Structure formats: C-alpha cells, structure tokens
Amino acid sequence: MVLASHWRVLRCVQICFQRSAGVLTLSVKFVVVGERNGKSRGELDWLSNPSFSTEDALLLHQRTTEVANLIPEKSPLIRTTSRSELSGESDTDESLKQSSKKRKKKKKKHHHYKKTKKKTKGDSSSSESDLDTKHVKDKATRSDRNHEKEAAANLDKKTSNLTSNRFVWLDDIQAFSAETFRIDKKPDPANWAYKSLYRGDIARYKRRGESCLGIDAKKQCITWDSSASKRKQLQRRPERYFTKNSVNMLNTDGIPVCNKSSPPDPTAFIPVFQMETDDPSNTTEVNLLGIYDPSATVWLQGKGCKSADHEPVNTQQTSQEPGININSILMTKVEEHNKKVRENPRDINAWMEFVSFQDELMRGPSPYASKGEQEVRRKSLKLILEKKLAILERAIESNPSNVDLKLARLKLCTEFWEPPALIKEWQKLIFLHPNNPELWKKYLLFCQSQFTTFSVSKINSLYGKCLTTLAAVQDGSMVSHPLLPGTEEAMLAIFIQQCHFLRQAGHSEKAVSLFQALIDFTFFKPDSVKDLPTRGQVEFFEPFWDSGEPRIGEKGARGWKAWMHQQEKGGWIALKSDDDDDDEEIDEDQEIKDKTLPKWHIWLDIEYSREARHWLPWRPDKTKKETEEDCEDPERQVLFDDLGPSLIQLSNPDLQRQLVYSFLQFLGVPCTSKLFPSNLYIAMDENNIFDSVLSDEKPLTSVDFPLSGFNSIGHMDTMLRGRHHVGHYKEGEEFIQNVFHVLLQLFSGKEKSNLSICWLQYEISKVVQCLQAKKKKQLKTQGKKSKKLAKNLLKAPDNRNHLSLWKLYAYLEWLLGNLDDARKVFDTALCTAGTGGLKSPQLCSLSLLYAQLEVELLESIEGAVMSRAVHILTKLAESGPYVPYSGQVLSVNVLKARKTYERALQAYLSKTPVSDQDQVSDANQLVNLVGCYALFQYLTVGIDAAVLIYAQTSEKLEASGPHTCENTGENFGIQNFPTALEAVTLLHTNLLRFHMKISVYPLNPLREALTEALKRYPSNQSLWRSYIHIQRKSHSASKARRFFDGVTRSTNSLEPWLFAIQAEQMRKKIIENVQRADVGEIHSTIPETGLTNRIVALFEHAVQSENGTHCPLLWRMYLNFLASLGQKEKSKGLFYKALQNCPWAKVLYMDAVEYFPDHLQETLDLMTEKELRVRVPMEELDLLLEV
C-alpha cells in the first residue's frame, strides 16, 4: 500500500565531497524535508527517483509504527525541532550541534537525567511540539484499558508526527539499501570562514608505524609531523646507563666499519660502505618482515644460491646483520670448548675455562636463536649457575679424585643449598680427602663464617680435629692417604689462624695458652719422646701442663724437658718466693669511675678494662695457697682438652722461627714477620692501617710497622674510641720480658741478635705511640725504660759490636729529642765499626739512617754540600776510619766519593749471586748502597741526579728479576720481607716527598713513581699511605679513581679497596669542613657531589670480593660510615649482614653496642648464644651499679 498523499521523504544523510587544504574529507549532515502544501505533478517526482523502492517504504512504515508503540515505555533516541529551522542549513547545523552536545551531556550525567530531558524538550519553540509532548505525557498516565482502545485510532497521527517533526538516527533504522547516501553538491560556507575543517567532522584513526603502503622505499619517504609524538618525546626521560636497553647495548660487540683484511692506513679516512640507490640486491622489497634467512632472500630475488666457498666475506653484510656474526663466533667458541673437554676429559684447566666461558656466553645474544629474530631474554643468575653446575658435574664424573672441581662445585652450591646440606657435602669431601691441607683451610673458613651453625666451641674443636688429622698423616699413622708437600707449613698456618680466631672471639687466654703449649712442645721436648708419633707425645705432655709448673712467659719457667728430667730424679724442691707482688689489681668498685654515664658506656669501659688486664690465663698461686675454686671467672682457666688436639710437630727450623715471630707479633711486638696469606685478611680487624707514623713530619725516616691492621692481644678498641693506652699493663709487660728471656736462651748468633732487635723495636714503638698521642709524662717514663733496655742489650758480649742495635739505640735517643746524645752514639758506632766501608751492609745502613736524620733537619737544600750528612756519606765511601764532623767537607773528597759510589753500584748491579744466602746479602747491600748514593747526589748535585740513580737501579732490577732482602721462610710461601725493588721504590718516593716539602717541585714524578710501584706491589701499605697523602691535595679525583679501579680489577689484594675507600672519605671530610666553616659565604673549590653514594658503592664491591667478604676491618669501616651518616636502620641491617660473614669478631658486637645503645641486652644475648667471651655479664653490671 502506498500512502502518496501523506508520505514524507526522509533524506537521511547528505554527503558533501569537499576539498580543503588538499585533504579529501566526508561531511555528514542530517536534513529533514517538510510537508508541501501544493499537490502538483512536481510533488510526485519522487516516484520516478531511482532510489525509491516500494519494499523499502513498507519496511520504513513498519519500523516507524514499532517506534511509536515504544514511546510510552521508553524514551527513544529522537530529537524535536521547529519548522522554522527548515528554512536554512546554517540554522539546522546550529540546532544539530546544540542537541548533539546535550545528548552527550545526558549520557555522561545519568543522575541529572530528568533535568536534561526537560531542557531538551524546552529547546523547541513549536506549538505542535509542545502539544505533542504533552500528549505523550498524558498517554503515559492513562490506564491500560483506555490505552488499548485508543492505540489503533491514533496510530496514523503518531506516524505522521514522528516522520514530520522528529529526527530519526541511522542506528534506529535497520533496513539499509545500496543507495542510502546521496551526493549533495551544495558547498559548505564554513570552509571559507575557517582555515581547516572542524576536527569533529574528520574521522579519527591511529597510525601503526612510520611507513606508508604504496611508496617506493628507494626514492620516496614520508616524514610524519605529529605534535602528540613530540609531547611524548619531551615527557620521556633520557635512559640511564643501567637501564635494560643500555645494558644490552653495552654487552653487544661493536660493528666493524672497515674490512679487517685490508691493511690499516692511519692517514686515510675510515671507509663507510653506503647503499647504492639503484642496487637491485636490496632485500627490502622481498623480505619486508625480516622472516627469511639470507639464502631464501637471494632465492626470492631470482639470483640463486651462491657457493659459500667462493664468496668473500662482505663487511657490509656483517654490518647489516651483526647478530649473525656474533652468534657464529659464540657458536665456534662453544664447539671449541666442547671439543677440548671431549677429547681430553682429564684436562682440569679446560673444564674450568668452559665454566668461566658461561658468563661470556650469557652476556651476548643466544647462539641457539633463529638468525632473523631478536631474542629478548632475561639475564638470570640462576640459569648461569645451573649451567655451570651441570658442566662441573660432568667434569667430576671424568675426574672423581680432583679436589679443585669439587671445590668449585661447592662454591656454586652455596647459592642453592641450605647451610646444613652444604656442611654435609663438605664433610663428605673432607672424609674423602683428609690429607689435603688447602681443603681443610677452606672448610674451616666456611664453617667459621656460617652464622646459623656457628659457635666458638664447635669451631675450636673443628680446628683441633683438623690439626689432629693432618698430624696423623704427617706421622704416617693414616696409611690410606699419602703426605702431600707443604703440609707442615699449612699446619702452622692453620694453628696461627686458630689463635687469631680465639683472640677475635674474646678468648685471649686460650690463644696465649696455645702458643705457650706449642713453643714448649717444639723447643723443650725431651729426647725420650721424640721418636713417638704426635699423639703419643701429647699424652706425655699433658702431665707437665697439668702439674702447675711455670710455662713460657711466667716467672721461673724451665720448660718441659727440664721438668721431665727432674721428675725422673724425684721432682722439684718447692722454694718460697721472696718477690713482693705489687699487683695493680683494680677492685670492682673502682672499675666504675662515673656512675652517671649511660649503662652501655659503663659496660664498654669495664669490658675494655678487663680485656686489657685479663688476657693472660689464670693460674692458682701456690705461694698464696690458691686453688682452682678461687678463680672468680672460670673462663680464665684453660684446660688441656681445649689445646691438646691442636699440638703439632714442627721439624723445619724456618717454621720454628716463624712460630716464635708469630707469637711475638701476637703479643704486639713489631717484627719483620708477616702472617700467612691464608689468614692475613681474616685476622685484620684494627683501623691503624691508615696511620702514617710520623711520615708527614719526617718522610725520610718514617717508622713503618710491618703488620699494621691487627689488634694485638689485650687491645679490643671500638672504631670511635681508638686505642686507650700504650703497650700493656704491668702484668703483660712482665710476661713479654719473660718470653724474651726464655727465647734468647734458645737461639744464638744471628737469630739471637734478631730477637734483641725485635725487643728494642717494641720499646721504640711505644715511644712513637706516646709521641703520636702527645703524652709527655708517659713519654718521659717510657723513654727511661727503653734507654735502660737498650743499654742492657748492648752490654751483652754478643751485642757489643752489633751495629743494628747501636743504630736503634741512637734512633731512640733522637726520637726522645736528645740530638747531641744521639750524635755521640752514632759517632761511637761508626768509629768502632772498622773500615768496611761500602762492603759492610750494617755500616751502610747505619750511615744512611744517620744521614737521613741530619737531612731532615735542613730547611733548604742550599748549602747542603757542607752539611754533616755529606760528611757522613763521604767518610763511608772512603773506607777509612771515621772522623767526627768538624764543620767542613773538602770538594776533593766529594768528587772521590762520587766515583767510588758509581763504581760500587755498577759492580753490584752486574754481580751474579752464587747461593740464596749470597743473593739475600747482596740485595740488602744493594738497597743500602743505592740509598746512600742517591742521598749523596741529592745533597751535592740535586734532585734530578738522585732520581736518575733510582731509575737506573729500578730498570736493572726489573730486568734481572726479584731479589729478596731477607730470608726467613721464603721457600715456604711466607712473604716476610720486601723485595729489593720494593725497598728501592720506598726510598725513591720518600726522597721525593721530602724534597716537595722543603722546595717547589712538580707532583707528577712522585705520582708516576708511586703508581708504577703500586701496580707491581698492590699490598704495600706504606706506598698506599704515601699515595693517598699526595692525592688528598689534588682537586681532581678522576685520575686517582681510574687508578684505584684498575688496580682492584688486576689483583686480589684487599689493600687497594681499603685505601680507595679511605681516600674518598678523606675527600668527603675536606669538603664538609669547607662547607661547614663559619666564615661567611664560601665558594667551594672542589665541586664534588655524590661522594656518599660512591663510598657506599666501593664498600659494596669490596665486601663482595673474595678476600673482603670475611675481613672484620672492612665491615667495621662500612658500619662506622653508615652510622656517621645517621642512617640507623640501614646501619643495623648492615650489622646483621656483617655477622653473617664474620660472626666470630667480637669487635663488631662492641661497635654495635656503641652505635645502637638501646639494644645492649639483645647484643649481649647474641654474644652469649654464639659463645663469644663476655667478661661483664649484665647481672654483674647491675650489682656493680647498686653498690
């Protein structure tokens, strides 16, 4: 049915093709055609419209009816408009924009739905629209019965109103035809008014990528200028070096830009291979997605596959696909390693290299990924460890008896397994190889550093078990395993490590008793038991130890051998002691000097006091009728069960001397002995490693203690307090004197003289400490004691002509300020020395020290030719009797001395030593000769002449190899004395430092000399102290930082880390002093930032190094630094982290008491749990405070 009279035409969409600014856009408009009054033939032209269809009209009619039926129930998506709006397009557009805005607002604000609806209806100005709206509202309120009756009658009226007075959206019309849209050729006047189209009329889309389909990639390109991308680039922060992309870029190998086969031409430019624009070999068109390999790409281009044998290497291809080149290199290396271990599975080094190669393999791209794709994989530490573990397990299957492979496997397993499981694996390994001392050292260190299973008694018994097992192997009692070379030396190293472990844990009495017992067991062994095995000898030694007989260091000590002989004769006759013991015992009431101090402060004072006074084992005094029950602190008594298993046999004389010097060093006596490398850094726990003893004031004769960095027995100082007193208390000093008296009876000749030198050096060290602390009263008292000892030693018949003792005595007088007395001693020694001249090492050494002391008194080098120092050095070269200085030096004698020095130096440099002893003596003489000659040239010619002598000597020594200055265990891996080259370098740097002090001289020669020496000797503390001393005056720290970084990468020594940290802390202190100076506005000349973070980073790297992990000194410095920053929580976390690696170090707990005083009880409970020595329990402290 066609209702021709009442049909309206709804032209839904008018499409205008408009061109504005060269862009083709679509403008969609909605237009409603109203009712016409005339009924002419022109009105029916729509019937001949090709887009009209009867079926479409019927469907439209049905749809309109359905919409009308839904009006009472739900508001449709319709909008009203007035007939006046049909007059012009501009009015229609404005109305459409207003209604569209309100429609959007209506969707956003649902809680204002009714208000929005009323406003939308109120926008219409037509009376018909108002009537129709009221009609709809009335109809919605009628009853259902009236609604059913009138629905059919009003259907036609509703349809006409709907089609004539309302818009219908395309979404509401489900029937579409092919010609729904029509072309409207009317222009849009807005294009003349504005520069561009309205942004709401332009379709939005997102662009993927920067390319465009259909363009020629060789000749055309498109540049997209987008403001949004600019904003994103501005908002994006630049990536730092530690981001993932930057790390990946740094880990990849560089791309070569020139052909490696061509010879390098330094004058020519680097060739850059450019892509030809017309080259048909470009694979962009055939391999758009990059999914084909090179052979498939060539095949797609129609060229066929070229033979790989006749095709040269193309640098351009390498530069285009660097990943393929890197992968091929890595694959080749993997194949090489697999081939090595497959063909020679017994090659341990090949297996170890294969394990180390896994780190390099993980840094680069995976060689197993397909060539065209970029593989992004997570650098997993666990993945590397699992691969290494699998390789090591294969290696152990091929080499089941190799210990190194098993140790490497256990080291990896620490990342996976729990401590109990690791300990079981270690026990299995020790059970299989009980004769391997190096394995025992690592096992002891592992158990000692496990906080969860650590206790002092467990570790001490483990040391005893280790030494007992190795002693059985040494005796031949353990037949199943042979004796390995170096076992005896390793046993002594383990014994010394046990003593330092007990000292650091606070059990000083047990450590001293161990040394006493082993010295008695070694030097006073009866002849009747020497042929017995070690355990049999220990059984005979036990009755002597429990008999109450005086031991080494106690009054009246005679030794095990004398006691054994006397027991066979019937025992000793007990004599009453006539000595009046003026013990300086301090009552408990006097230990607390000030009760107003905090509790933690009082505990630290008493603990330190008892640590300093009670380090000797307690013995019942029979003259006072004391028994073991009279001891107030049972921990001060040492039972034989605690030390019996650790007794070993030392048959080598060098190792016996090493034991003696180690005991003296343990007591705080400075001697030329050093610890074994295995226990060097584990025992380092004192902060005096950075103390330059008088080196700033007197650089030529600065005192260098050979073993700084270690707390001697009786000194357990916190980092903030420092050392309280010089030397030991009266009881300790008497003990050391008794030890020297006993040892001097054991040795004779050169060894006896060396012991006398050590004793006098100990007295001088106490004088130097008094000078440093500026304790004048104590210096005077100590000076008298030291001079008395020196004179007594020189009165001995064996020491009257010993020039080394005379030299030390004269130096002692010089330190005390008695210059005239010191010169008399020097002159007397030189007059009695004879005419040895330059051929006598002791005479050269004496003359060198005398001349250096005199040079240090000079204020300038002008007129130094006539000084006393030149006279001393001239008389030394004349090889005649010494004549004291009279105030003049003849020029002829200076010229003769210069020629003599030159000939002597050439003779020593060209001399070939016959034996080791000759080599040692010649090395000593060479160092002294070079020192005297260089100082002579410095005073008579200038600094350049002296530096030239040092340079020639160093060059000769470097070419000829190392020469050792002294020999006490060189063949046993004990680096006791510096090499000749090291000693010459020290003399060289000290002379340069002195010259810079008294005159103007560039810093670069000294810096270069120190850097070259430190690269060769990175563990020399004296050189490091000089280096950081000169670097602290420099405004630029970049050179020093680069140097420290290079040295730490090239050596395993811990000294470079420690001094690098100290240098940065000194720099930070200088900057803080400048910034905090209260003198108004200050412009800092050292614009340094980030020092705190740099120091923390250095600490973190140092504690992760092999030697730094278990170094108590390093952890103490780290904890002290964080505490100084006020970071209490971080400091506490670091304290517990330090305990995980060094749970035996009591000084760490005492530092924690000072840094965290609120946790005093918690710290003491932890010490008690781990069985560390607590001399003042909290209950006793409470009682002392109540008194």
Side-chain angles (χ1 to χ4, degrees), residues 589-604:
D589 297 341
Q590 299 178 358
E591 285 183 331
I592 304 177
K593 298 178 181 179
D594 188 1
K595 292 186 178 182
T596 60
L597 294 174
K599 193 174 184 179
W600 63 271
H601 200 288
I602 297 174
W603 181 86
L604 277 177

Side-chain angles (χ1 to χ4, degrees), residues 955-1153:
E955 184 179 356
K956 181 67 176 179
L957 290 176
E958 287 176 9
S960 60
H963 296 276
T964 307
C965 292
E966 293 289 346
N967 185 16
T968 56
E970 172 72 16
N971 299 327
F972 300 93
I974 311 166
Q975 299 178 357
N976 295 320
F977 293 88
T979 63
L981 180 58
E982 191 173 359
V984 168
T985 307
L986 275 173
L987 291 174
H988 181 195
T989 55
N990 289 341
L991 183 61
L992 286 176
R993 287 176 57 200
F994 171 76
H995 183 67
M996 292 178 61
K997 179 183 176 184
I998 65 171
S999 62
V1000 179
Y1001 193 71
L1003 183 62
N1004 197 44
L1006 177 57
R1007 183 190 288 117
E1008 288 181 353
L1010 284 172
T1011 52
E1012 290 299 322
L1014 286 170
K1015 288 177 183 177
R1016 192 176 290 109
Y1017 309 109
S1019 59
N1020 190 300
Q1021 297 177 7
S1022 300
L1023 292 173
W1024 280 119
R1025 280 192 286 267
S1026 299
Y1027 183 75
I1028 65 173
H1029 176 73
I1030 65 171
Q1031 282 298 331
R1032 69 180 180 181
K1033 300 178 181 178
S1034 175
H1035 285 202
S1036 175
S1038 57
K1039 286 185 179 180
R1041 286 169 180 170
R1042 285 197 299 270
F1043 175 67
F1044 276 118
D1045 183 64
V1047 176
T1048 52
R1049 292 174 185 271
S1050 61
T1051 181
N1052 291 327
S1053 300
L1054 194 60
E1055 281 84 359
W1057 287 111
L1058 294 172
F1059 282 92
I1061 293 168
Q1062 179 68 11
E1064 296 293 345
Q1065 286 184 325
M1066 291 167 62
R1067 191 172 188 83
K1068 184 174 183 293
K1069 187 176 181 180
I1070 292 174
I1071 294 173
E1072 288 178 349
N1073 291 339
V1074 171
Q1075 293 174 348
R1076 294 175 182 175
D1078 191 14
V1079 290
E1081 186 178 0
I1082 290 181
H1083 300 281
S1084 176
T1085 58
I1086 311 176
E1088 193 75 39
T1089 57
L1091 271 178
T1092 301
N1093 295 332
R1094 177 179 290 275
I1095 294 171
V1096 170
L1098 284 173
F1099 272 120
E1100 286 294 332
H1101 284 88
V1103 298
Q1104 291 172 9
S1105 62
E1106 182 179 358
N1107 290 322
T1109 306
H1110 306 297
C1111 178
L1113 173 61
L1114 186 60
W1115 287 106
R1116 294 184 72 191
M1117 291 172 59
Y1118 195 3
L1119 186 60
N1120 180 46
F1121 177 71
L1122 284 187
S1124 66
L1125 297 178
Q1127 301 177 359
K1128 189 173 182 179
E1129 292 300 324
K1130 284 187 178 180
S1131 303
K1132 194 171 183 182
L1134 181 68
F1135 166 63
Y1136 289 111
K1137 185 179 178 182
L1139 293 187
Q1140 297 290 332
N1141 295 279
C1142 305
W1144 69 88
K1146 183 181 176 181
V1147 283
L1148 279 173
Y1149 298 85
M1150 296 183 71
D1151 287 341
V1153 170

Side-chain angles (χ1 to χ4, degrees), residues 657-658 660-662 664-665 669-675 704-707 750-751 753-755 757-759 761-762 808 924 964-969 974-978:
R657 288 195 296 268
Q658 177 70 16
V660 170
Y661 289 122
S662 298
L664 294 176
Q665 190 76 65
V669 177
C671 39
T672 50
S673 172
K674 285 188 177 181
L675 290 178
D704 180 29
F705 295 131
L707 200 61
K750 184 180 179 180
E751 290 303 325
S753 300
N754 289 337
L755 286 172
I757 291 172
C758 289
W759 195 354
Q761 281 180 341
Y762 175 60
L808 289 176
N924 286 329
T964 307
C965 292
E966 293 289 346
N967 185 16
T968 56
I974 311 166
Q975 299 178 357
N976 295 320
F977 293 88

Side-chain angles (χ1 to χ4, degrees), residues 386-417:
E386 288 177 349
K387 291 182 70 176
K388 290 181 178 180
L389 193 59
I391 295 171
L392 287 173
E393 288 175 351
R394 282 178 52 203
I396 292 172
E397 290 177 3
S398 304
N399 305 275
S401 61
N402 188 268
V403 180
D404 294 334
L405 292 173
K406 295 178 181 179
L407 283 175
R409 176 176 171 271
L410 276 176
K411 189 176 180 180
L412 287 178
C413 290
T414 53
E415 303 290 337
F416 297 99
W417 297 350

Side-chain angles (χ1 to χ4, degrees), residues 37-88:
N37 294 326
K39 292 184 179 181
S40 62
R41 182 64 181 172
E43 293 179 355
L44 300 178
D45 289 341
W46 58 274
L47 291 173
S48 61
N49 194 332
S51 64
F52 173 74
S53 174
T54 306
E55 296 177 357
D56 294 340
L58 290 174
L59 290 173
L60 181 60
H61 175 67
Q62 293 176 3
R63 176 62 180 164
T64 306
T65 307
E66 292 176 0
V67 172
N69 292 332
L70 293 175
I71 288 175
E73 301 174 5
K74 186 177 181 182
S75 176
L77 289 173
I78 57 175
R79 304 215 175 177
T80 59
T81 183
S82 62
R83 292 181 180 178
S84 61
E85 292 176 354
L86 301 176
S87 59

Side-chain angles (χ1 to χ4, degrees), residues 155-276:
L155 181 59
D156 293 339
K157 187 176 180 180
K158 294 172 190 172
T159 304
S160 62
N161 290 338
L162 179 65
T163 55
S164 61
N165 297 328
R166 301 184 185 278
F167 290 128
V168 178
W169 299 92
L170 288 178
D171 296 338
D172 297 332
I173 304 176
Q174 297 178 354
F176 294 100
S177 64
E179 299 181 2
T180 305
F181 299 93
R182 297 207 49 200
I183 299 175
D184 187 1
K185 297 183 179 180
K186 292 182 180 181
D188 189 357
N191 290 339
W192 296 99
Y194 304 102
K195 293 181 180 180
S196 62
L197 296 178
Y198 173 56
R199 60 182 179 83
D201 294 340
I202 303 175
R204 294 183 180 179
Y205 61 93
K206 290 184 179 180
R207 185 174 69 249
R208 296 291 184 184
E210 298 293 331
S211 61
C212 182
L213 296 177
I215 65 172
D216 189 355
K218 300 178 182 178
K219 302 178 180 179
Q220 295 175 326
C221 66
I222 292 181
T223 302
W224 301 94
D225 189 9
S226 175
S227 59
S229 62
K230 286 183 179 179
R231 285 197 300 269
K232 288 182 180 179
Q233 290 177 359
L234 291 174
Q235 292 175 359
R236 181 183 300 173
R237 299 176 64 183
E239 289 187 348
R240 297 296 302 278
Y241 63 93
F242 49 77
T243 57
K244 188 175 181 181
N245 293 334
S246 301
V247 171
N248 292 337
M249 183 179 66
L250 290 174
N251 288 335
T252 56
D253 294 338
I255 301 172
V257 295
C258 62
N259 196 348
K260 294 182 180 178
S261 60
S262 61
D265 186 7
T267 60
F269 292 103
I270 297 176
V272 180
F273 298 93
Q274 296 181 353
M275 186 187 301
E276 295 294 336

